[in-house]
Amino acid sequence: MIKVNENYLKLEKNYLFIRIAEKVKAFQAADPEAKLIRMGIGDVTLPLAPVVVEAMQNAAAEMGVKETFRGYEDSGAGYDFLREAVAGYYRSFGADVPAEDIRINDGAKSDCGNLVDIFGDDNIVLVTDPAYPVYVDSNLMSGRKIVYADSNEANGFAAMPSADGYALDGKQVFPDIIYLCSPNNPTGSVYTKAQLAEWIAYAKAHGAVILFDAAYEAFVSQPELPRSIYQIEGAKEVAIEMCSLSKTAGFTGVRCGYTVVPSELKATASDGTEVSLKQLWNRREGSKFNGVSYPVQRAAEAVFTPEGQKQIRENIAYYQENARIMAETLTELGIAFTGGINSPYIWFKCPDNMDSWSFFDRMLSEIAVVGTPGAGFGKNGDGWFRLTAFGDRDNTKEAMQRLKKMMKA
Ligand code: PLP
């Protein structure tokens, strides 16, 4: 008889965006004429940069010629040309990451979920709350216990480690696996170098590993803020980093990202032997992943050329200007918010002490603007709301006009 993974039955039934989609569908059925503006799902709207398209087309053409056709890539870790390009990109902002520690993948979400395969199910996981839901779900699926570090208004939505540990089953415990995301989804907050140094010291003191999600690093505009955890001393001994071209270069539909597992990162097996996490990860990937397509890797390589950087920066600047317009509106309305400067997300406090789903309903029914209720990202998200800057400029302006009207009414 089949035995299912019962951990799946413990997962939240209604995934956040499904619930939003259902509400939007009902609204549109009731009012088909309403001009809906979507600022909910964090997907990009600008097309790929021309150099990226050209590189993909050229690579596709190579695949149609016997002499240049490519089948499986030998290692599945990514072609050297792309791993070297990513290493060069890291160097450009002061992180020394060797190409051999980088693996190319089909986007950060896969590895956010897959990395947990190399860790025992009895590890305690720490997730900052609110958080990108994949961290919680992928650990619940393996039956791991999770503790939460509160990100809230008081700490600027940048939770710091607790010296006393975290309460779990009536005891104070210290985590073995720590998820950090900076710039943060959903809150837009960014850790400073000093704050990351504190997390690194904490991980070292408690023998923990940090899984650092840098999917939004390209939006950091203040040079003193870190874009990679490897800009901080000692990170290679404790941290794995996941990154993606989805938001950096509009690859949400192309699918390409990269994960760094440093050679320095070690764990101890139950018999006392030292184990290289990079070797475990390579072993896992060797068995379960056959690499990213050649045209996509050539397209990704083009992102890191000088012309590619120039072109993607134009798109990022467009989204940053959207974020600025949103931040300006919230400031004018006297609404507290985080994000927007170094992040494509604006995270604001729901006016009139509304809970976030009620505010979602109000925005949808009164001004036909769709956002994301903060409660969908964890308990500290309730009473807060996320808007994305990835939309069209005119729609962003229109949505802010409507919000002003609603708030002043
Ligand atoms: N990490 C964070 C924090 C995200 O918000 C996202 C996507 O929205 C991802 C990772 C995954 O992105 P992708 O799989 O498209 O690379």
Side-chain angles (χ1 to χ4, degrees), residues 42 106-110 112 132 135 181 185 213 215-216 244-247 252 255-256 345:
D106 60 351
K109 190 179 209 170
S110 310
C112 283
Y132 179 52
Y135 314 147
C181 176
N185 177 14
D213 187 340
Y216 298 95
S244 166
L245 294 183
S246 282
K247 311 301 160 77
T252 50
R255 310 303 308 146
C256 194
Y345 295 118

PDB file of all heavy atoms in Angstrom, residues 42 106-110 112 132 135 181 185 213 215-216 244-247 252 255-256 345, ligand 1:
ATOM      1  N   GLY A  42       5.561  39.051  -7.584  1.00  0.00           N
ATOM      2  CA  GLY A  42       6.826  39.723  -7.887  1.00  0.00           C
ATOM      3  C   GLY A  42       7.427  39.306  -9.212  1.00  0.00           C
ATOM      4  O   GLY A  42       8.589  38.924  -9.261  1.00  0.00           O
ATOM      5  N   ASP A 106      18.509  26.319 -12.517  1.00  0.00           N
ATOM      6  CA  ASP A 106      17.368  26.862 -13.269  1.00  0.00           C
ATOM      7  C   ASP A 106      16.594  27.895 -12.440  1.00  0.00           C
ATOM      8  O   ASP A 106      15.380  28.023 -12.567  1.00  0.00           O
ATOM      9  CB  ASP A 106      16.446  25.733 -13.738  1.00  0.00           C
ATOM     10  CG  ASP A 106      15.885  24.924 -12.581  1.00  0.00           C
ATOM     11  OD1 ASP A 106      16.338  25.121 -11.428  1.00  0.00           O
ATOM     12  OD2 ASP A 106      14.984  24.092 -12.813  1.00  0.00           O
ATOM     13  N   GLY A 107      17.288  28.618 -11.573  1.00  0.00           N
ATOM     14  CA  GLY A 107      16.636  29.655 -10.768  1.00  0.00           C
ATOM     15  C   GLY A 107      16.805  29.343  -9.298  1.00  0.00           C
ATOM     16  O   GLY A 107      17.037  28.196  -8.906  1.00  0.00           O
ATOM     17  N   ALA A 108      16.673  30.368  -8.470  1.00  0.00           N
ATOM     18  CA  ALA A 108      16.983  30.211  -7.048  1.00  0.00           C
ATOM     19  C   ALA A 108      15.961  29.353  -6.296  1.00  0.00           C
ATOM     20  O   ALA A 108      16.287  28.739  -5.287  1.00  0.00           O
ATOM     21  CB  ALA A 108      17.089  31.582  -6.398  1.00  0.00           C
ATOM     22  N   LYS A 109      14.729  29.321  -6.796  1.00  0.00           N
ATOM     23  CA  LYS A 109      13.710  28.587  -6.038  1.00  0.00           C
ATOM     24  C   LYS A 109      14.070  27.104  -5.916  1.00  0.00           C
ATOM     25  O   LYS A 109      13.926  26.514  -4.846  1.00  0.00           O
ATOM     26  CB  LYS A 109      12.344  28.732  -6.709  1.00  0.00           C
ATOM     27  CG  LYS A 109      11.202  28.214  -5.865  1.00  0.00           C
ATOM     28  CD  LYS A 109       9.890  28.402  -6.588  1.00  0.00           C
ATOM     29  CE  LYS A 109       8.745  28.583  -5.629  1.00  0.00           C
ATOM     30  NZ  LYS A 109       7.525  28.999  -6.307  1.00  0.00           N
ATOM     31  N   SER A 110      14.550  26.508  -7.020  1.00  0.00           N
ATOM     32  CA  SER A 110      14.882  25.082  -6.992  1.00  0.00           C
ATOM     33  C   SER A 110      15.892  24.793  -5.882  1.00  0.00           C
ATOM     34  O   SER A 110      15.695  23.882  -5.070  1.00  0.00           O
ATOM     35  CB  SER A 110      15.469  24.633  -8.321  1.00  0.00           C
ATOM     36  OG  SER A 110      14.670  25.056  -9.371  1.00  0.00           O
ATOM     37  N   CYS A 112      16.746  26.704  -3.294  1.00  0.00           N
ATOM     38  CA  CYS A 112      16.200  27.018  -1.958  1.00  0.00           C
ATOM     39  C   CYS A 112      15.525  25.760  -1.404  1.00  0.00           C
ATOM     40  O   CYS A 112      15.601  25.473  -0.216  1.00  0.00           O
ATOM     41  CB  CYS A 112      15.134  28.114  -2.027  1.00  0.00           C
ATOM     42  SG  CYS A 112      15.778  29.754  -2.214  1.00  0.00           S
ATOM     43  N   TYR A 132       9.958  34.591   2.605  1.00  0.00           N
ATOM     44  CA  TYR A 132       9.616  33.915   1.341  1.00  0.00           C
ATOM     45  C   TYR A 132       9.176  32.487   1.709  1.00  0.00           C
ATOM     46  O   TYR A 132       9.929  31.765   2.371  1.00  0.00           O
ATOM     47  CB  TYR A 132      10.888  33.935   0.488  1.00  0.00           C
ATOM     48  CG  TYR A 132      10.823  33.282  -0.850  1.00  0.00           C
ATOM     49  CD1 TYR A 132       9.829  33.592  -1.780  1.00  0.00           C
ATOM     50  CD2 TYR A 132      11.808  32.370  -1.238  1.00  0.00           C
ATOM     51  CE1 TYR A 132       9.813  33.001  -3.030  1.00  0.00           C
ATOM     52  CE2 TYR A 132      11.809  31.782  -2.491  1.00  0.00           C
ATOM     53  CZ  TYR A 132      10.815  32.094  -3.384  1.00  0.00           C
ATOM     54  OH  TYR A 132      10.810  31.512  -4.618  1.00  0.00           O
ATOM     55  N   TYR A 135      11.206  28.652   2.122  1.00  0.00           N
ATOM     56  CA  TYR A 135      12.095  28.190   3.211  1.00  0.00           C
ATOM     57  C   TYR A 135      11.307  27.315   4.191  1.00  0.00           C
ATOM     58  O   TYR A 135      11.771  26.257   4.606  1.00  0.00           O
ATOM     59  CB  TYR A 135      12.701  29.358   3.993  1.00  0.00           C
ATOM     60  CG  TYR A 135      13.255  30.498   3.175  1.00  0.00           C
ATOM     61  CD1 TYR A 135      13.186  31.805   3.649  1.00  0.00           C
ATOM     62  CD2 TYR A 135      13.849  30.274   1.943  1.00  0.00           C
ATOM     63  CE1 TYR A 135      13.693  32.870   2.910  1.00  0.00           C
ATOM     64  CE2 TYR A 135      14.354  31.334   1.197  1.00  0.00           C
ATOM     65  CZ  TYR A 135      14.268  32.627   1.684  1.00  0.00           C
ATOM     66  OH  TYR A 135      14.750  33.681   0.963  1.00  0.00           O
ATOM     67  N   CYS A 181      17.558  36.411   4.035  1.00  0.00           N
ATOM     68  CA  CYS A 181      17.269  36.918   2.698  1.00  0.00           C
ATOM     69  C   CYS A 181      17.471  38.431   2.718  1.00  0.00           C
ATOM     70  O   CYS A 181      16.812  39.121   3.490  1.00  0.00           O
ATOM     71  CB  CYS A 181      15.830  36.574   2.335  1.00  0.00           C
ATOM     72  SG  CYS A 181      15.298  37.238   0.755  1.00  0.00           S
ATOM     73  N   ASN A 185      12.647  39.693   0.664  1.00  0.00           N
ATOM     74  CA  ASN A 185      11.281  39.525   0.184  1.00  0.00           C
ATOM     75  C   ASN A 185      10.528  38.912   1.361  1.00  0.00           C
ATOM     76  O   ASN A 185      10.936  37.862   1.829  1.00  0.00           O
ATOM     77  CB  ASN A 185      11.253  38.564  -1.014  1.00  0.00           C
ATOM     78  CG  ASN A 185       9.841  38.308  -1.493  1.00  0.00           C
ATOM     79  OD1 ASN A 185       8.909  39.003  -1.131  1.00  0.00           O
ATOM     80  ND2 ASN A 185       9.687  37.278  -2.315  1.00  0.00           N
ATOM     81  N   ASP A 213      19.946  34.048   0.816  1.00  0.00           N
ATOM     82  CA  ASP A 213      19.231  34.257  -0.444  1.00  0.00           C
ATOM     83  C   ASP A 213      19.475  35.694  -0.906  1.00  0.00           C
ATOM     84  O   ASP A 213      18.997  36.649  -0.298  1.00  0.00           O
ATOM     85  CB  ASP A 213      17.738  34.000  -0.203  1.00  0.00           C
ATOM     86  CG  ASP A 213      16.923  34.022  -1.489  1.00  0.00           C
ATOM     87  OD1 ASP A 213      17.394  34.592  -2.487  1.00  0.00           O
ATOM     88  OD2 ASP A 213      15.804  33.477  -1.475  1.00  0.00           O
ATOM     89  N   ALA A 215      18.686  36.881  -4.008  1.00  0.00           N
ATOM     90  CA  ALA A 215      17.970  37.010  -5.286  1.00  0.00           C
ATOM     91  C   ALA A 215      17.773  38.462  -5.732  1.00  0.00           C
ATOM     92  O   ALA A 215      17.638  38.735  -6.919  1.00  0.00           O
ATOM     93  CB  ALA A 215      16.617  36.304  -5.193  1.00  0.00           C
ATOM     94  N   TYR A 216      17.770  39.395  -4.766  1.00  0.00           N
ATOM     95  CA  TYR A 216      17.516  40.801  -5.124  1.00  0.00           C
ATOM     96  C   TYR A 216      18.760  41.685  -4.984  1.00  0.00           C
ATOM     97  O   TYR A 216      18.652  42.899  -4.874  1.00  0.00           O
ATOM     98  CB  TYR A 216      16.361  41.346  -4.256  1.00  0.00           C
ATOM     99  CG  TYR A 216      15.088  40.589  -4.520  1.00  0.00           C
ATOM    100  CD1 TYR A 216      14.703  39.515  -3.714  1.00  0.00           C
ATOM    101  CD2 TYR A 216      14.293  40.907  -5.613  1.00  0.00           C
ATOM    102  CE1 TYR A 216      13.569  38.782  -3.995  1.00  0.00           C
ATOM    103  CE2 TYR A 216      13.145  40.187  -5.895  1.00  0.00           C
ATOM    104  CZ  TYR A 216      12.791  39.125  -5.086  1.00  0.00           C
ATOM    105  OH  TYR A 216      11.669  38.398  -5.380  1.00  0.00           O
ATOM    106  N   SER A 244      20.046  34.639  -8.383  1.00  0.00           N
ATOM    107  CA  SER A 244      19.206  34.370  -9.540  1.00  0.00           C
ATOM    108  C   SER A 244      19.272  35.508 -10.538  1.00  0.00           C
ATOM    109  O   SER A 244      19.498  36.661 -10.165  1.00  0.00           O
ATOM    110  CB  SER A 244      17.767  34.232  -9.030  1.00  0.00           C
ATOM    111  OG  SER A 244      16.864  34.277 -10.091  1.00  0.00           O
ATOM    112  N   LEU A 245      19.045  35.188 -11.801  1.00  0.00           N
ATOM    113  CA  LEU A 245      18.953  36.254 -12.810  1.00  0.00           C
ATOM    114  C   LEU A 245      17.499  36.656 -13.051  1.00  0.00           C
ATOM    115  O   LEU A 245      17.221  37.495 -13.901  1.00  0.00           O
ATOM    116  CB  LEU A 245      19.602  35.787 -14.113  1.00  0.00           C
ATOM    117  CG  LEU A 245      21.107  35.556 -14.026  1.00  0.00           C
ATOM    118  CD1 LEU A 245      21.683  35.164 -15.381  1.00  0.00           C
ATOM    119  CD2 LEU A 245      21.817  36.807 -13.536  1.00  0.00           C
ATOM    120  N   SER A 246      16.583  36.065 -12.291  1.00  0.00           N
ATOM    121  CA  SER A 246      15.156  36.340 -12.530  1.00  0.00           C
ATOM    122  C   SER A 246      14.828  37.820 -12.434  1.00  0.00           C
ATOM    123  O   SER A 246      14.213  38.395 -13.329  1.00  0.00           O
ATOM    124  CB  SER A 246      14.293  35.570 -11.529  1.00  0.00           C
ATOM    125  OG  SER A 246      14.198  34.225 -11.924  1.00  0.00           O
ATOM    126  N   LYS A 247      15.228  38.449 -11.325  1.00  0.00           N
ATOM    127  CA  LYS A 247      14.876  39.843 -11.117  1.00  0.00           C
ATOM    128  C   LYS A 247      15.986  40.762 -11.628  1.00  0.00           C
ATOM    129  O   LYS A 247      15.748  41.891 -12.026  1.00  0.00           O
ATOM    130  CB  LYS A 247      14.588  40.107  -9.629  1.00  0.00           C
ATOM    131  CG  LYS A 247      13.619  39.099  -8.998  1.00  0.00           C
ATOM    132  CD  LYS A 247      12.256  39.051  -9.686  1.00  0.00           C
ATOM    133  CE  LYS A 247      11.483  37.764  -9.410  1.00  0.00           C
ATOM    134  NZ  LYS A 247      10.848  37.646  -8.146  1.00  0.00           N
ATOM    135  N   THR A 252      12.735  35.484 -15.332  1.00  0.00           N
ATOM    136  CA  THR A 252      11.714  34.667 -14.652  1.00  0.00           C
ATOM    137  C   THR A 252      11.167  33.573 -15.574  1.00  0.00           C
ATOM    138  O   THR A 252      10.845  32.483 -15.118  1.00  0.00           O
ATOM    139  CB  THR A 252      10.561  35.531 -14.107  1.00  0.00           C
ATOM    140  OG1 THR A 252      10.103  36.395 -15.144  1.00  0.00           O
ATOM    141  CG2 THR A 252      10.992  36.371 -12.909  1.00  0.00           C
ATOM    142  N   ARG A 255      14.742  31.176 -16.834  1.00  0.00           N
ATOM    143  CA  ARG A 255      15.174  30.286 -15.757  1.00  0.00           C
ATOM    144  C   ARG A 255      16.683  30.085 -15.699  1.00  0.00           C
ATOM    145  O   ARG A 255      17.241  29.232 -16.383  1.00  0.00           O
ATOM    146  CB  ARG A 255      14.492  28.898 -15.846  1.00  0.00           C
ATOM    147  CG  ARG A 255      12.982  28.890 -16.007  1.00  0.00           C
ATOM    148  CD  ARG A 255      12.237  29.628 -14.931  1.00  0.00           C
ATOM    149  NE  ARG A 255      12.607  29.212 -13.603  1.00  0.00           N
ATOM    150  CZ  ARG A 255      12.639  30.047 -12.554  1.00  0.00           C
ATOM    151  NH1 ARG A 255      12.316  31.319 -12.699  1.00  0.00           N
ATOM    152  NH2 ARG A 255      12.987  29.602 -11.376  1.00  0.00           N
ATOM    153  N   CYS A 256      17.353  30.868 -14.929  1.00  0.00           N
ATOM    154  CA  CYS A 256      18.772  30.639 -14.657  1.00  0.00           C
ATOM    155  C   CYS A 256      19.179  31.350 -13.364  1.00  0.00           C
ATOM    156  O   CYS A 256      18.789  32.497 -13.135  1.00  0.00           O
ATOM    157  CB  CYS A 256      19.643  31.146 -15.812  1.00  0.00           C
ATOM    158  SG  CYS A 256      21.335  30.545 -15.723  1.00  0.00           S
ATOM    159  N   TYR A 345      10.635  45.891  -3.593  1.00  0.00           N
ATOM    160  CA  TYR A 345       9.415  45.752  -2.805  1.00  0.00           C
ATOM    161  C   TYR A 345       9.231  46.915  -1.848  1.00  0.00           C
ATOM    162  O   TYR A 345      10.197  47.421  -1.278  1.00  0.00           O
ATOM    163  CB  TYR A 345       9.441  44.449  -1.982  1.00  0.00           C
ATOM    164  CG  TYR A 345       9.426  43.221  -2.851  1.00  0.00           C
ATOM    165  CD1 TYR A 345      10.479  42.321  -2.836  1.00  0.00           C
ATOM    166  CD2 TYR A 345       8.358  42.976  -3.701  1.00  0.00           C
ATOM    167  CE1 TYR A 345      10.481  41.204  -3.661  1.00  0.00           C
ATOM    168  CE2 TYR A 345       8.343  41.857  -4.527  1.00  0.00           C
ATOM    169  CZ  TYR A 345       9.409  40.984  -4.504  1.00  0.00           C
ATOM    170  OH  TYR A 345       9.401  39.893  -5.318  1.00  0.00           O
TER     171      TYR A 345
HETATM  172  N1  PLP B   1      14.270  33.961  -3.479  1.00  0.00           N
HETATM  173  C1  PLP B   1      13.415  34.951  -3.279  1.00  0.00           C
HETATM  174  C2  PLP B   1      13.530  35.729  -2.021  1.00  0.00           C
HETATM  175  C3  PLP B   1      12.420  35.245  -4.200  1.00  0.00           C
HETATM  176  O1  PLP B   1      11.570  36.241  -3.958  1.00  0.00           O
HETATM  177  C4  PLP B   1      12.344  34.477  -5.385  1.00  0.00           C
HETATM  178  C5  PLP B   1      11.310  34.743  -6.388  1.00  0.00           C
HETATM  179  O2  PLP B   1      10.421  35.514  -6.276  1.00  0.00           O
HETATM  180  C6  PLP B   1      13.252  33.449  -5.542  1.00  0.00           C
HETATM  181  C7  PLP B   1      14.208  33.217  -4.580  1.00  0.00           C
HETATM  182  C8  PLP B   1      13.195  32.518  -6.700  1.00  0.00           C
HETATM  183  O3  PLP B   1      13.422  33.069  -7.922  1.00  0.00           O
HETATM  184  P1  PLP B   1      13.736  32.215  -9.185  1.00  0.00           P
HETATM  185  O4  PLP B   1      13.421  30.783  -8.935  1.00  0.00           O
HETATM  186  O5  PLP B   1      12.895  32.794 -10.264  1.00  0.00           O
HETATM  187  O6  PLP B   1      15.199  32.404  -9.416  1.00  0.00           O
END
